[in-house]
Amino acid sequence: MEQLQAFWSSMPDPGGIVIHLGVTLAILVVGWTVSNLLGRWMRHIADRSPRIDPTIVPMVRSVTVWSVRIVVLLAVLARLGVQTASLVAMLGASALAIGLALQGTLQNFAAGIMLLVLRPVRAGEFVSIGGQGSGTVDEIGLFMTRFVQADGIQILLPNTLVWGSPITNYSRNKTRRLDMMLGVRYDDDLDAALATLQALVDRHEDILADPAPQVMVMEYRDSTIMVNIRVWALAAKYWDVYFDLHRRAPQALRQAGLRSPIPLREVRSIPAAAAGAKAAGA
């Protein structure tokens, strides 16, 4: 009986246990809620501020949210009486083992950091990743980069593939050059064709005057003289100019009295008597 009384007296107060667990649960819930609110606040501030590059927002948000959550979990464990110092040491050893097992994942994380630091691509830019695909950059995450193709299909590439591949950025510069090849028949007036196309590009509202647009002869083919139209336009207007020139340039040549460059072949018929005499002589 004395031993039973001593054991019962050593047990903590049930009311105290409930309060202790309630406070611990409150710390967990409040900390988790604060981390989510902090992530939303960061995204809201980034959306309203023109000085913050939207490319870095997803990664910074994820790092911040999980940093707060890790601190909250350590505080909860300390509240429950767990020795956090030994736990941190154990987590460090586990992190080393996990890092060795997940080298590819860590490489993706490091590549994501390099993409954010050096900024070869940014959210909203249209880029082509050599041999991997092309599209508008939607988000650079901790391990993956998300693109949206021109047809609306979403593609995800590991950060190492993006960082380790040639990147062609079509949106970084404000202007782009457009080259268009057009054919003129040999028996048409070449000077009239050049003047007509030059007048077309000089009057076009979306073609820049500096650098000046050029219309020049590029090469000679079997039945066609190839004329090159070389103009500059704003990157945002590039495809509008591209499609408009392909529609209006042939129309302008037809209105000037020039014919479409249809491939021609000259076929000569040798009379049968002449062919026989030629064969006999041979």
Side-chain angles (χ1 to χ4, degrees), residues 231-249:
V231 298
W232 287 81
L234 296 175
K237 292 283 188 177
Y238 177 85
W239 289 109
D240 293 336
V241 175
Y242 179 90
F243 294 123
D244 192 53
L245 278 184
H246 278 74
R247 177 180 63 88
R248 293 170 61 178

Side-chain angles (χ1 to χ4, degrees), residues 158-225:
N159 289 336
T160 51
L161 289 181
V162 179
W163 177 250
S165 301
I167 300 174
T168 303
N169 195 320
Y170 295 98
S171 303
R172 183 62 56 90
N173 295 336
K174 294 182 179 180
T175 59
R176 287 183 61 183
R177 194 183 81 184
L178 186 152
D179 287 83
M180 175 181 171
M181 298 292 291
L182 206 64
V184 177
R185 296 172 65 125
Y186 278 104
D187 52 355
D188 279 341
D189 190 344
L190 179 60
D191 291 333
L194 295 176
T196 300
L197 295 176
Q198 187 69 51
L200 172 65
V201 296
D202 288 340
R203 294 194 307 265
H204 201 286
E205 60 276 6
D206 291 329
I207 292 177
L208 301 178
D210 185 23
Q214 296 176 297
V215 179
M216 63 200 107
V217 177
M218 290 295 292
E219 60 178 301
Y220 295 90
R221 297 182 182 175
D222 292 340
S223 59
T224 308
I225 301 174

Side-chain angles (χ1 to χ4, degrees), residues 92-174:
S94 302
L96 178 61
I98 294 174
L100 294 175
L102 301 176
Q103 293 183 16
T105 302
L106 294 180
Q107 289 176 358
N108 286 325
F109 178 78
I113 296 297
M114 297 302 296
L115 289 174
L116 292 178
V117 172
L118 299 181
R119 309 278 185 86
V121 297
R122 296 178 181 175
E125 292 182 336
F126 187 86
V127 300
S128 175
I129 308 300
Q132 307 298 332
S134 60
T136 302
V137 181
D138 186 44
E139 180 182 317
I140 299 178
L142 289 175
F143 307 105
M144 307 283 286
T145 300
R146 184 167 64 235
F147 299 89
V148 179
Q149 297 183 142
D151 56 2
I153 296 177
Q154 184 182 107
I155 58 175
L156 291 170
L157 292 178
N159 289 336
T160 51
L161 289 181
V162 179
W163 177 250
S165 301
I167 300 174
T168 303
N169 195 320
Y170 295 98
S171 303
R172 183 62 56 90
N173 295 336
K174 294 182 179 180

